[in-house]
C-alpha cells in the first residue's frame, strides 16, 4: 500500500488440480474456503513464547542485548534477538513476562501467535502424466497456450526487450521451494535459502504453495512459461506443511532477506515475495503489538534495498474500510496485489470475485484466476509447478517432478508482480531502490474501471521494463 512508503494486504491462493500433459477431469473448480472470522486465523503458539518490543529510541543493539541478559537472570531464554530493531523472541514464564513489561525500556511483551497464513483449500488431481524433459524458449513451453495470464501482462513482449530478470534474486517467503521439479532445476539459490521452521528444510515444500509461487516468477520454460525467465529464487521457509507459521517466524524471515547475500559479498536480494496473509482482529492489542514488530522488520530490510510484495487477500473485502486489518500487506513498505481473472476466457481484467479490493488496501492488480461463475472453464485459472515433495493427498504423482497444477488467488497475483519487479531491476541501469521499483510498477500499470476499488490498475511487464 502506498503511504509514506507503500503497504497493502495479502492472503494465499487456492490450489485446484494437477496435470502434466492431460487435463484435470470434468468437474468444475471449487471455491476457496473463506475465513469465517478474523479470529479463526489465530492459534496458540508455544505457551511460553513471547515477542518483546523495546521502546522506539531505546531499541538499539546495546539496549536489546542488555535486555537479553536481564531475561537470563529471571530464567528466560532468548530464542531470537533482532537487536537492530529492538525485537526479541523469548521463552518466559508468565510472572517474568509481567515483570518485564514494567521495565522503562520495554514497549510491549506479547505471546507469539500461530497464524494460518495460507487458508485451507480443497484440492483434487486428475489425469497426471509424465512430461518429457526438453529445453524451451518459454514460448514453446508445453502449456504456454493455456497461460492467458502471461500473455495478458505482456510478459512475452518483455522477454524480447529485456534481460528477463538476469542477475536478480527473488526470495520466496513461503512453505519452501523444491528445486527437483523439471521447471525449477537450477533456479534455486541454496546458498541464500534458509528455513525458520525447525523441522523442515528450505528446499522441500510439503505443501504446494511456495514452489507454485516460485514457478510463476521464473521457470526453465519446459512445462510453463514465467514472468522473469532468467531470475533466480531463494527459499525462505516461514510456513510449515500446513501453511501455518508464527509471527516470530515470519518476522525473522523478513529480517533475513535484508542481510542475505550481503555478508560474503554475494548478490543482494532485490525482491521478497510474500504470497501469504491473514485477516486479523484490528482491535486486538496483541495483534497490534505483533504487527509493530513485523513493521520494524519490513522497514529494516526495505532500507537495505528489498522490495516486499504481498498478496492482498481472498476475503472479498473492501479494504477501504478502516476497521479491517490484513497482514502483512497492510504494513507500510509492502506492495499489495489484488487479483484479476477471466470468465470463460473473456473479460480478462475482471476483478476476481474473491479478491480484496480498495485503493486504501490494494496498490495494483495482476492475474489470479477466476472460478465461481457458471461460464468459468479450467483455463481461467493459473498454471504453476507442483512440488515434488508435496504431502497433500491427491497429489502423489507430483513426486515425479513433471506435474503442474491449476490455482487461483491473490497469491499467484503477487508472484506475477515479484517477477515484474525482477525484470525491471535487471533492465534499468544501477540498483533500483524499492521506491523506484514500486513507482515503475504502478505508473506503467494499465488502468482498470473504478479506480477507488482497482487502484493503479493491472500490471504491464513490457511497459514496466521500459520505465525511466
Amino acid at each position: 500500500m502506498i503511504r509514506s512508503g507503500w503497504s497493502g494486504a495479502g492472503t494465499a491462493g487456492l490450489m485446484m488440480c494437477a496435470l502434466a500433459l492431460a487435463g484435470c477431469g470434468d468437474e468444475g473448480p471449487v471455491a476457496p474456503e473463506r475465513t469465517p472470522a478474523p479470529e479463526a486465523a489465530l492459534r496458540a503458539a508455544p505457551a511460553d513464547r513471547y515477542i518483546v518490543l523495546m521502546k522506539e529510541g531505546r531499541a538499539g543493539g546495546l539496549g536489546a542485548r542488555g535486555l537479553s541478559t536481564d531475561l537470563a537472570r529471571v530464567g528466560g531464554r532468548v530464542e531470537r534477538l533482532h537487536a537492530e530493531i529492538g525485537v526479541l523472541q523469548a521463552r518466559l514464564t508468565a510472572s517474568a513476562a509481567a515483570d518485564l513489561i514494567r521495565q522503562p525500556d520495554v514497549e510491549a511483551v506479547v505471546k507469539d501467535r500461530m497464524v494460518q497464513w495460507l487458508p485451507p483449500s480443497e484440492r483434487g488431481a486428475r489425469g497426471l502424466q509424465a512430461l518429457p524433459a526438453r529445453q524451451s524458449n518459454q514460448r514453446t513451453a508445453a502449456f504456454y497456450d493455456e497461460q492467458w495470464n502471461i500473455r495478458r501482462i505482456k510478459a512475452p513482449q518483455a522477454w524480447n526487450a529485456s534481460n528477463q530478470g538476469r542477475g536478480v534474486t527473488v526470495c520466496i517467503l513461503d512453505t519452501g521451494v523444491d528445486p527437483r521439479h523439471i521447471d525449477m532445476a537450477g533456479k534455486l539459490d541454496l546458498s541464500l535459502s534458509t528455513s525458520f521452521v525447525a523441522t523442515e528444510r528450505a528446499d522441500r515444500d510439503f505443501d504446494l504453495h511456495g514452489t507454485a509461487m516460485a514457478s510463476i516468477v521464473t521457470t526453465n520454460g519446459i512445462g510453463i512459461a514465467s514472468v522473469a525467465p532468467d531470475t533466480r529464487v531463494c527459499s525462505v521457509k516461514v510456513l510449515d506443511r500446513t501453511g501455518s507459521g508464527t509471527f516470530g517466524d515470519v518476522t525473522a524471515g523478513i529480517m533475513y532477506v535484508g542481510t542475505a547475500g550481503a555478508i560474503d559479498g554475494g548478490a543482494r536480494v532485490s525482491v521478497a515475495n510474500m504470497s501469504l496473509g491473514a485477516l486479523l482482529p484490528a482491535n486486538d492489542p496483541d495483534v497490534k503489538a505483533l504487527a509493530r514488530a513485523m513493521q520494524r522488520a519490513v522497514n529494516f530490510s526495505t532500507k537495505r534495498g528489498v522490495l516486499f510484495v504481498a498478496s492482498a487477500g481472498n476475503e472479498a473485502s473492501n479494504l477501504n474500510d478502516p476497521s479491517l486489518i490484513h497482514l502483512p500487506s497492510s504494513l507500510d513498505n509492502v506492495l499489495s496485489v489484488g487479483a484479476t481473472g477471466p470468465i470463460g476466457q473473456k473479460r480478462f481484467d475482471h476483478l476476481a470475485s474473491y479478491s480484496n479490493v480498495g485503493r486504501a488496501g490494494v496498490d495494483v492488480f495482476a492475474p489470479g484466476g477466476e472460478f465461481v461463475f457458471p461460464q468459468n472453464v479450467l483455463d481461467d485459472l493459473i498454471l504453476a509447478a507442483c512440488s515434488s515433495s508435496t504431502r497433500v493427498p491427491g497429489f502423489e504423482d507430483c513426486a515425479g517432478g513433471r506435474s503442474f497444477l491449476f490455482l487461483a488467488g491473490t497469491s499467484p497475483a503477487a508472484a506475477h508482480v515479484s517477477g515484474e519487479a525482477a525484470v525491471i531491476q535487471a533492465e534499468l541501469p544501477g540498483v533500483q531502490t524499492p521506491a523506484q521499483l514500486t513507482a515503475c510498477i504502478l505508473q506503467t500499470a494499465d488502468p482498470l474501471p473504478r479506480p477507488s476499488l482497482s487502484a493503479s490498475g493491472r500490471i504491464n511487464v513490457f511497459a514496466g521494463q521500459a520505465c525511466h
Side-chain angles (χ1 to χ4, degrees):
M1 199 49 254
I2 310 303
R3 292 185 184 141
S4 57
W6 1 275
S7 75
T11 264
L14 169 68
M15 301 300 180
M16 295 301 301
C17 60
L19 78 162
L21 290 178
C24 294
D26 297 329
E27 67 279 2
V30 292
E33 294 181 7
R34 299 281 194 260
T35 303
E39 293 83 355
L42 295 171
R43 303 201 306 273
D48 61 344
R49 178 176 290 165
Y50 288 79
I51 302 297
V52 181
L53 281 76
M54 303 288 290
K55 287 182 178 177
E56 294 284 357
R58 300 180 182 181
L62 290 176
R65 291 189 178 92
L67 182 59
S68 178
T69 302
D70 291 341
L71 289 178
R73 293 196 188 103
V74 297
R77 176 169 59 87
V78 175
E79 293 183 318
R80 292 177 179 141
L81 171 62
H82 306 302
E84 302 92 337
I85 61 171
V87 173
L88 302 88
Q89 177 181 304
R91 293 297 182 93
L92 299 170
T93 64
S95 60
D99 289 341
L100 190 60
I101 191 59
R102 289 192 285 267
Q103 292 199 22
D105 289 347
V106 175
E107 175 184 314
V109 180
V110 296
K111 286 189 175 183
D112 198 0
R113 302 284 190 96
M114 179 69 75
V115 180
Q116 183 67 47
W117 298 104
L118 306 183
S121 57
E122 295 187 43
R123 298 171 168 93
R126 296 292 186 273
L128 288 158
Q129 296 180 9
L131 177 64
R134 59 186 175 84
Q135 294 301 308
S136 171
N137 65 359
Q138 299 285 315
R139 284 185 179 82
T140 59
F143 300 114
Y144 176 75
D145 288 345
E146 284 124 301
Q147 292 188 273
W148 64 271
N149 50 307
I150 294 295
R151 296 188 296 276
R152 190 64 181 174
I153 61 175
K154 293 184 167 59
Q157 291 92 323
W159 299 335
N160 291 339
S162 73
N163 292 320
Q164 302 184 11
R166 186 178 305 120
V168 177
T169 300
V170 176
C171 279
I172 310 294
L173 279 68
D174 214 296
T175 58
V177 177
D178 195 321
R180 298 174 298 171
H181 189 281
I182 194 170
D183 255 334
M184 297 308 299
K187 292 295 185 180
L188 181 64
D189 188 333
L190 283 171
S191 69
L192 289 181
S193 298
T194 191
S195 177
F196 292 95
V197 178
T199 59
E200 298 185 19
R201 291 166 46 175
D203 62 345
R204 295 294 182 269
D205 179 8
F206 300 119
D207 188 78
L208 295 161
H209 199 263
T211 303
M213 297 307 106
S215 72
I216 293 170
V217 175
T218 185
T219 67
N220 292 320
I222 298 170
I224 58 173
S226 58
V227 180
D230 287 345
T231 290
R232 299 194 76 195
V233 296
C234 82
S235 172
V236 180
K237 179 174 283 198
V238 294
L239 307 181
D240 64 18
R241 66 186 65 206
T242 71
S244 299
T246 66
F247 265 90
D249 289 344
V250 175
T251 298
I254 292 170
M255 285 290 293
Y256 171 78
V257 296
T259 56
I263 297 174
D264 59 0
R268 184 183 296 272
V269 174
S270 298
V271 184
N273 186 78
M274 299 192 295
S275 290
L276 57 89
L279 191 67
L280 300 172
N283 296 322
D284 185 325
D286 285 359
V287 169
K288 290 181 179 179
L290 292 166
R292 289 197 302 273
M294 190 176 285
Q295 181 69 74
R296 291 186 190 182
V298 168
N299 293 345
F300 171 85
S301 291
T302 298
K303 290 178 181 177
R304 283 152 182 81
V306 180
L307 169 64
F308 286 92
V309 180
S311 47
N314 296 344
E315 290 81 19
S317 296
N318 187 338
L319 297 180
N320 290 328
D321 183 345
S323 69
L324 299 175
I325 179 172
H326 196 283
L327 295 174
S329 58
S330 62
L331 301 174
D332 290 337
N333 298 331
V334 176
L335 182 59
S336 170
V337 186
T340 59
I343 303 174
Q345 291 295 283
K346 298 178 181 178
R347 297 177 60 193
F348 289 94
D349 286 333
H350 162 77
L351 298 187
S353 59
Y354 53 82
S355 179
N356 289 342
V357 297
R359 183 178 288 275
V362 185
D363 296 318
V364 73
F365 283 76
E370 184 59 279
F371 50 85
V372 302
F373 298 95
Q375 304 96 316
N376 276 126
V377 295
L378 198 62
D379 283 353
D380 291 343
L381 303 175
I382 306 293
L383 268 168
C386 191
S387 169
S388 302
S389 49
T390 183
R391 298 293 185 269
V392 176
F395 283 80
E396 292 79 8
D397 287 342
C398 289
R402 297 182 179 183
S403 297
F404 300 83
L405 57 88
F406 284 103
L407 67 157
T410 55
S411 279
H416 285 84
V417 176
S418 291
E420 181 187 15
V423 171
I424 296 170
Q425 181 72 279
E427 188 63 19
L428 297 184
V431 176
Q432 308 303 303
T433 67
Q436 289 169 325
L437 289 176
T438 297
C440 279
I441 292 167
L442 299 186
Q443 291 169 7
T444 60
D446 291 336
L448 297 176
R450 300 183 69 188
S452 65
L453 298 181
S454 61
S456 296
R458 187 254 309 129
I459 64 169
N460 182 325
V461 183
F462 178 62
Q465 61 83 34
C467 177
H468 297 290

